[in-house]
């Protein structure tokens, strides 16, 4: 790129901050917040500089690599594609299609090219053994959206800019910058909330960075949120505070929910949760009586033993108090590329429990099995055992519970390939690594996070730097592999039509598809006076066609949908190019019940699967409240999952991979400031230990310890020297992969039992 300022969206986390990158003489001179970005208004976090560090990192892989007896050797692309397609095909032919496992990691969702290419790639692989980071993350939200609204990614987003009460449970947006709530500049937005007389309440086992800004804070015992939320539901019914607002007409089974909540009184759940009965009642009352209020839950309530039920109840609380689809409550976005409507149109609303995994019999969700069972599927012999593995932008050795076991399982595979630009804890097991272009060498459109943003917003950026001649984008790698695999499957040749189709796809890439989707979406083509002629036909289609008819889907999706009639029109790739800071498409607007995807057009408040899972919740309530040490995770604003630790600017300073423990528990374990602690699992099949420096503080609830994830870069054979010098230890080495929420299959990453003791070796060394 020429000298000048390039505007784009930072793709590192979910916040979608606009950045202004200044380039001088072919190099990045500075990265600043883009003041004219209508969503982020100039905000960035300290990680934004990592865009430069990643781009310039000499250890970022740029050529395909092959593992040989004498170490890694570079190879050329054609040779690499041939080798990979050949080996995968051979495994598939000899051992069946399910013998190939695929794991898709988090950065895929920040990469529109990968998203477009993933589907054909997975189809070409043809295996049911598909996994992703989803089951260590937002799976309970997807199930709740599927069950209640009929669509797995139709998420209610807090209307944080207009709410007067923000109840934040199990989330730490001050560190994470929001999640399933794309919200750049959380601090500024919370300040504005207070400025208009609003209030924030935080419920968390740790007094987090977010909690420190709250007006009210409650400690909660990990894993008990479902009890708290059920007692809030109970209070709403008990005190006659239920008022569904306009959801009244399109919500059913309210009474079933009332019945389900009967025995969960605030008094009954108090000892387990750690909240006083009166605090619980007050929480419910404040939610009910504040007209503009939003209750939001995230990782802490999702990746735990009762994540499914807790997330469902959080949805229910917003609905029972009339906050769903209401200004200042939780609302639905209307993004420029509406994957919700597109999914509905193509029958991809999602599905759950259509089949079960081979070894543990865990349910699939949208075609994926829980990632916690990957190692089982690799280590357990029999038909369908995973023998070859593909990872795309993932580091499950560090991100998946019982990473140590997966580490060993990967070592025993016949073949592994990783599409990734780092040689890290996972990819070191690969036979071949296929590194894609760096983020600044490709165009960017946030397909996914535009759908979760607190305002409707669209932004496109061209690549900042030209991709080298001898480089490949993620989408090119995936399509090329898919094409070659398909050819092999068909005996070496494809029918002409299909061959031409593949070639065309590989030629045009994802951006023309974006353009088409923008033009045909809610803010798309403005057909002017012709609208008068076409509109009646569209209205008729929407009136008479059954809910799931494809034509109805198409009509709903088009710019002609009457509910979208007043939206600004004329959006295309060209208009986005003309507006490099992004285009504001307005605040979230009420859009229900038209946007529901349930068969009967109603929100079902009490789906049977949740009611059935209440037996487990009753058991929890009936068991005595315990005081055993439970471990939870945490995030830090200068770290991002496992892969940003090779940036010196981000890892410098104080050690952030520590064990946080309350003084009472520290005393019980004999820990003093400056000590290191040994942490072992007390919950299942994990044999390892980790050792971490301790931070003793009253900011954590007694009976709880906290460790961040994504660290543990001490393993040999990786190629990230900065990360290795700041190795830390992986919490997932002491989390069991046997603990999942049986309802949804999500890993229990928060609330597993652990043992903590002084790490004697170090104390002795210090004394000596
Ligand atoms: N800086 C930074 N930002 C990130 C990321 C990152 O790694 N670093 N990762 C990104 C990703 S992939 C995601 S999914 C999001 C996640 O975004 P968040 O969910 O906002 O992030 P966490 O910090 O994991 O917040 C979880 C909170 O739940 C609390 N908690 C733990 N157990 C329980 C429990 O049982 N009950 C309750 N009520 N609370 C509990 C924890 O103390 C913690 O404060 O962040 C994204 N943004
Ligand atoms: N204990 C515990 N475990 C957790 C969590 C927790 O809170 N606690 N959080 C969970 C959550 S929410 C998530 S999302 C997962 C994340 O889990 P993963 O997605 O498995 O792990 P990441 O650390 O995000 O690793 C991303 C990988 O993608 C590579 N990469 C980065 N950009 C690109 C790209 O553009 N293309 C390609 N091909 N590769 C790229 C990086 O080099 C790295 O290897 O971790 C989960 N694990
Ligand atoms: S919060 Fe930081 S990492 Fe996330 S998008 Fe904004 S600048 Fe990037
Ligand atoms: Mo995540």
């Amino acid at each position: 790129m020429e000298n000048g300022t390039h505007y784009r969206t930072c793709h590192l986390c979910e916040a979608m901050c606009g950045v202004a990158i200044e380039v001088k003489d072919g190099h990045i001179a500075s990265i600043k917040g883009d003041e004219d970005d209508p969503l982020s208004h100039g905000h960035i976090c300290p990680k934004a500089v990592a865009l430069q560090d990643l781009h310039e990192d000499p250890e970022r892989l740029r050529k395909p690599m092959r593992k040989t007896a004498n170490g890694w050797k570079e190879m050329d692309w054609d040779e690499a594609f041939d080798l990979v397609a050949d080996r995968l095909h051979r495994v598939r032919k000899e051992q069946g299609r399910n013998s190939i496992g695929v794991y898709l990691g988090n950065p895929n969702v920040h990469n529109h090219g990968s998203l477009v290419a993933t589907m054909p790639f997975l189809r070409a692989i043809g295996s049911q053994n598909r996994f992703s980071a989803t089951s260590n993350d937002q799976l309970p939200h997807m199930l709740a959206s599927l069950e209640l609204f009929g669509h797995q990614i139709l998420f209610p987003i807090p209307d944080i800019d207009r709410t007067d009460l923000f109840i934040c449970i199990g989330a730490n947006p001050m560190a994470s910058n929001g999640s399933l709530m794309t919200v750049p500049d959380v601090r500024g937005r919370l300040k504005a909330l207070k400025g208009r007389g609003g209030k924030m309440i935080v419920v968390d086992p740790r007094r987090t960075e977010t909690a420190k800004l709250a007006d009210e804070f409650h400690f909660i015992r990990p894993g008990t949120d479902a009890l708290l939320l059920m007692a809030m539901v109970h209070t709403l019914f008990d005190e006659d505070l239920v008022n569904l607002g306009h959801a009244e007409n399109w919500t059913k089974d309210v009474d079933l929910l009332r019945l389900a909540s009967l025995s969960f009184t605030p008094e009954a759940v108090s000892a387990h949760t750690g909240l006083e009965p009166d605090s619980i009642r007050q929480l419910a009352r404040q939610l009910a009586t504040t007209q503009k209020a939003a209750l939001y839950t995230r990782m802490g309530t999702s990746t735990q033993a009762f994540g499914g039920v807790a997330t469902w109840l959080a949805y229910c609380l917003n609905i029972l108090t009339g906050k769903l689809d209401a200004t200042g409550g939780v609302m639905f976005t209307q993004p420029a590329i509406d994957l919700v409507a597109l999914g509905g149109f193509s029958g991809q609303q999602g599905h759950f429990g259509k089949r079960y995994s081979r070894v543990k019999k865990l349910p699939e969700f949208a075609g994926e099995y829980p990632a916690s069972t990957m190692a089982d599927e690799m280590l357990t012999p029999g038909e369908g055992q995973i023998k070859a593995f593909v990872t795309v932008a993932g580091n499950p050795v560090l991100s998946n519970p019982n990473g140590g076991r997966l580490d060993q399982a990967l070592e025993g595979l016949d073949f592994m390939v990783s599409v990734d630009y780092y040689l890290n804890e996972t990819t070191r097991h690969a036979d071949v690594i296929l590194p894609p272009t760096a983020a600044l060498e490709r165009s960017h459109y946030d397909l996914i996070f535009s759908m979760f943003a607190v305002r409707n917003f669209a932004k496109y950026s061209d690549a900042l730097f030209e991709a080298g001649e001898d480089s490949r984008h993620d989408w090119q790698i995936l399509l090329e592999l898919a094409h070659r695999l398909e050819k092999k499957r068909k005996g070496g040749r494809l029918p002409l039509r299909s061959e031409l189709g593949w070639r065309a796809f590989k030629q045009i890439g994802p951006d023309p598809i974006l353009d088409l989707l923008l033009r045909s979406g809610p803010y798309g083509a403005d057909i002017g006076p012709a609208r008068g002629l076409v509109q009646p036909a569209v209205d008729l289609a929407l009136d008479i066609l059954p809910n799931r008819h494809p034509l109805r889907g198409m009509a709903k999706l088009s710019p002609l949908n009457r509910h979208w009639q007043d939206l600004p029109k004329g959006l295309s790739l060209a208009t986005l190019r003309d507006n490099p800071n992004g285009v504001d498409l307005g605040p979230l607007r009420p859009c229900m019940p038209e946007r529901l995807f349930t068969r009967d057009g109603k929100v079902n408040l009490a789906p049977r699967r949740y009611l059935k899972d209440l037996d487990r919740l009753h058991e929890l309530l009936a068991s005595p409240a315990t005081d055993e040490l439970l471990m939870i995770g945490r995030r830090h604003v200068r770290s991002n999952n496992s892969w940003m630790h090779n940036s010196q600017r981000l890892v410098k300073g104080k050690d952030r991979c520590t064990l946080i423990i309350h003084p009472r528990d520290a005393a019980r374990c004999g820990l003093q400031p400056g000590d290191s602690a040994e942490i072992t699992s007390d919950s299942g099949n994990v044999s390892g230990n980790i050792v971490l420096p301790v931070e003793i503080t009253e900011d954590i609830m007694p009976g709880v310890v906290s460790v961040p994830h994504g660290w543990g870069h001490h393993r040999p054979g990786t190629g990230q020297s900065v990360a290795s010098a700041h190795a830390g230890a992986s919490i997932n080495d002491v989390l069991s992969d046997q603990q999942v929420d049986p309802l949804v299959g999500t890993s229990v990453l928060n609330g597993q039992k652990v043992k903590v003791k002084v790490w004697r070796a170090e104390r002795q060394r210090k004394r000596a």
Side-chain angles (χ1 to χ4, degrees):
M1 128 133 205
E2 315 263 298
N3 287 348
T5 306
H6 167 85
Y7 298 99
R8 71 191 283 122
T9 302
C10 171
H11 72 292
L12 296 174
C13 86
E14 309 182 21
M16 287 206 308
C17 298
V19 287
I21 305 180
E22 205 190 317
V23 176
K24 270 197 198 126
D25 307 324
H27 292 287
I28 296 173
S30 72
I31 298 181
K32 298 200 175 106
D34 175 4
E35 303 287 339
D36 295 321
D37 181 290
L39 187 67
S40 62
H41 306 290
H43 170 83
I44 47 169
C45 86
K47 284 188 297 303
V49 296
L51 291 172
Q52 176 173 15
D53 298 346
L54 284 167
H55 187 74
E56 294 172 0
D57 189 345
E59 290 178 321
R60 179 166 59 77
L61 305 178
R62 285 149 169 96
K63 290 267 169 59
M65 307 256 284
R66 172 188 189 174
K67 196 185 275 158
T68 72
N70 304 316
W72 290 95
K73 294 267 181 306
E74 282 186 3
M75 62 197 304
D76 73 42
W77 281 101
D78 197 50
E79 197 191 346
F81 286 133
D82 257 351
L83 177 80
V84 173
D86 196 56
R87 294 293 301 273
L88 289 178
H89 179 67
R90 216 182 320 154
V91 170
R92 181 170 65 181
K93 215 167 112 189
E94 286 164 9
Q95 327 239 16
R97 62 190 184 113
N98 291 335
S99 59
I100 306 178
V102 183
Y103 173 84
L104 304 175
N106 170 278
N108 284 301
V109 288
H110 297 270
N111 182 335
H112 71 284
S114 293
L115 289 170
V116 167
T118 298
M119 198 112 80
F121 176 70
L122 290 175
R123 207 173 297 132
I125 295 267
S127 171
Q128 293 183 341
N129 276 320
R130 287 167 42 195
F131 310 89
S132 79
T134 289
S135 44
N136 289 323
D137 193 344
Q138 80 286 4
L139 194 50
H141 295 74
M142 292 173 67
L143 184 66
S145 288
L146 181 64
E147 289 282 336
L148 272 64
F149 312 135
H151 199 301
Q152 62 180 349
I153 51 169
L154 185 57
F155 295 125
I157 310 295
D159 186 13
I160 197 164
D161 290 341
R162 290 181 293 184
T163 197
D164 292 326
L165 173 65
F166 180 56
I167 304 183
C168 177
I169 308 184
N172 185 12
M174 280 300 293
S176 68
N177 290 295
S179 179
L180 295 188
M181 170 175 69
T182 283
V183 58
D185 194 14
V186 180
R187 184 190 290 276
R189 290 178 137 108
L190 292 176
K191 216 170 133 190
L193 164 74
K194 289 198 184 175
R196 58 180 180 267
K199 175 173 178 181
M200 171 165 73
I201 305 176
V202 172
V203 182
D204 200 293
R206 183 169 76 87
R207 189 175 288 108
T208 59
E209 296 77 358
T210 308
K212 286 182 180 164
L213 297 181
D215 303 274
E216 189 180 318
F217 169 69
H218 302 278
F219 276 133
I220 184 166
R221 177 92 175 143
T224 64
D225 299 81
L227 291 176
L228 164 70
L229 298 170
M230 203 45 135
M232 287 172 68
V233 170
H234 176 98
T235 304
L236 292 179
F237 285 111
D238 190 45
E239 301 189 0
D240 208 10
L241 291 169
V242 172
N243 175 3
L244 278 73
H246 87 129
E248 181 86 53
N249 300 327
W250 37 271
T251 302
K252 64 180 197 192
D253 291 343
V254 176
D255 218 42
L256 276 182
L257 186 58
R258 183 183 66 78
L259 290 173
S261 72
L262 278 179
S263 47
F264 296 91
T265 62
E267 280 72 18
V269 307
S270 174
H272 286 83
T273 57
L275 277 88
E276 293 298 325
D278 196 49
S279 305
I280 299 174
R281 288 204 172 85
Q282 281 300 341
L283 274 174
R285 288 175 193 148
Q286 291 183 77
L287 178 66
T289 56
T290 311
Q291 198 199 353
K292 292 181 178 173
L295 184 144
Y296 165 74
T297 64
R298 234 355 232 115
M299 280 297 282
T301 45
S302 144
T303 49
Q304 53 138 298
F306 289 92
V309 171
T311 306
W312 161 58
L313 290 171
Y315 278 39
C316 290
L317 280 162
N318 281 318
I319 298 171
L320 289 174
T321 53
K323 308 303 187 255
L324 185 74
D325 197 41
T327 302
V330 291
M331 305 189 75
F332 298 95
T333 59
Q334 287 159 310
I337 295 184
D338 187 10
L339 295 186
V340 169
L342 268 166
F345 163 51
S346 56
Q348 309 277 329
Q349 294 99 326
H351 48 77
F352 176 58
K354 280 200 171 166
R355 51 172 198 268
Y356 291 81
S357 65
R358 182 179 65 108
V359 179
K360 290 250 194 70
K361 313 290 173 227
L362 292 171
E364 63 80 37
F365 190 101
E368 287 177 0
Y369 294 127
S372 63
T373 197
M374 285 190 296
D376 301 317
E377 295 294 337
M378 292 173 194
L379 294 170
T380 314
E383 205 186 314
Q385 179 183 5
I386 295 177
K387 295 286 194 174
F389 201 55
V390 186
T391 66
V392 185
N395 190 5
V397 167
L398 295 192
S399 65
N400 207 55
N402 210 348
R405 182 166 176 246
L406 186 66
D407 216 356
Q408 284 169 11
L410 294 177
E411 204 44 51
L413 294 168
D414 290 352
F415 182 72
M416 175 169 162
V417 55
S418 292
V419 182
D420 205 297
Y421 43 52
Y422 276 119
L423 177 57
N424 61 22
E425 296 72 19
T426 298
T427 60
R428 74 194 171 114
H429 293 289
D431 296 281
V432 178
I433 304 178
L434 302 172
T437 50
L440 299 182
E441 295 166 341
R442 57 191 182 224
S443 60
H444 185 79
Y445 182 94
D446 240 299
L447 267 178
I448 298 290
F449 297 104
S450 311
M451 297 203 304
F452 310 149
V454 296
R455 275 185 89 82
N456 294 312
F457 171 75
K459 179 163 171 171
Y460 171 87
S461 342
D462 281 307
L464 165 54
F465 295 110
E466 211 172 301
E469 182 83 345
D470 195 27
S471 66
R472 300 288 186 280
H473 299 301
D474 277 290
W475 66 266
Q476 288 175 311
I477 297 173
L478 296 176
L479 286 186
E480 188 59 45
L481 283 178
H483 185 192
R484 291 186 191 217
L485 276 167
E486 277 293 273
K487 265 212 285 227
K488 285 189 186 289
R489 197 165 62 91
K490 292 268 156 71
R493 265 181 94 138
L494 290 173
L496 184 64
R497 246 208 356 225
S498 159
E499 180 62 30
L500 291 177
W502 278 105
R503 287 191 191 184
F505 200 175
K506 290 197 292 189
Q507 188 70 35
I508 62 168
D511 288 4
I513 300 178
L514 281 186
D515 192 33
L516 182 73
L517 295 176
L518 285 167
R519 288 172 192 271
S520 60
Y523 308 84
D526 190 354
I527 57 169
R531 188 178 187 110
L533 290 172
V534 186
Q535 187 77 57
V538 174
D539 287 350
L540 188 70
L542 284 173
D543 272 349
I544 61 171
L545 290 172
N547 215 7
R548 292 196 173 189
H549 195 282
L551 277 178
R552 185 183 164 85
M554 224 177 339
K556 248 184 158 175
L557 193 65
S558 82
L560 286 164
N561 180 348
R562 202 173 272 286
H563 295 285
W564 291 345
Q565 197 170 315
D566 300 329
L567 300 185
K569 294 277 184 281
L571 216 59
S572 66
L573 213 53
T575 53
L576 289 184
R577 278 200 170 102
D578 290 342
N579 295 276
N581 310 94
V583 177
D584 183 34
L585 300 170
L588 305 184
R589 308 171 188 86
C591 57
M592 285 292 175
E594 290 75 23
R595 212 153 151 71
L596 281 176
F597 285 82
T598 47
R599 268 177 213 283
D600 58 2
K602 293 223 156 87
V603 174
N604 177 0
L605 262 195
R608 198 169 307 154
R609 353 184 158 262
Y610 291 115
L611 297 180
K612 268 169 55 188
D613 200 36
L614 293 182
D615 286 351
R616 236 169 22 101
L617 201 61
H618 280 288
E619 275 167 33
L620 175 67
L621 194 60
S623 63
T626 70
D627 195 24
E628 293 150 307
L629 266 193
L630 304 181
M631 184 165 63
I632 60 169
R634 72 174 188 271
R635 284 175 158 76
H636 189 279
V637 74
R638 302 182 74 89
S639 169
N640 192 39
N641 296 332
S642 77
W643 68 282
M644 231 88 94
H645 300 149
N646 214 37
S647 156
Q648 184 61 41
R649 290 194 278 191
L650 290 186
V651 291
K652 69 177 185 211
K654 170 170 160 250
D655 195 352
R656 279 182 284 271
C657 187
T658 61
L659 175 86
I660 292 184
I661 187 166
H662 188 271
R664 186 205 75 177
D665 299 315
R668 283 186 183 173
C669 303
L671 283 164
Q672 290 157 18
D675 278 346
S676 284
E678 178 187 17
I679 305 145
T680 47
S681 167
D682 195 15
S683 35
N685 64 337
V686 199
S687 54
N689 67 346
I690 57 171
V691 175
L692 288 176
V694 297
E695 280 181 67
I696 302 172
T697 164
E698 294 191 345
D699 281 343
I700 193 148
M701 191 177 192
V704 183
V705 293
S706 152
V707 173
H709 76 284
W711 299 87
H713 305 296
H714 55 281
R715 289 160 164 88
T718 59
Q720 293 182 291
S721 52
V722 178
S724 300
H726 300 263
S730 175
I731 182 176
N732 285 315
D733 283 345
V734 285
L735 287 178
S736 165
D737 54 353
Q738 309 293 308
Q739 289 202 16
V740 297
D741 172 355
L743 171 68
V744 200
T746 329
S747 305
V748 177
L749 303 174
N750 290 291
Q752 290 201 17
K753 274 193 281 179
V754 288
K755 289 206 174 89
V756 172
K757 61 180 187 200
V758 182
W759 180 240
R760 295 282 167 201
E762 189 178 68
R763 192 176 269 184
Q764 273 159 12
R765 187 178 54 76
K766 274 194 195 151
R767 286 213 182 113

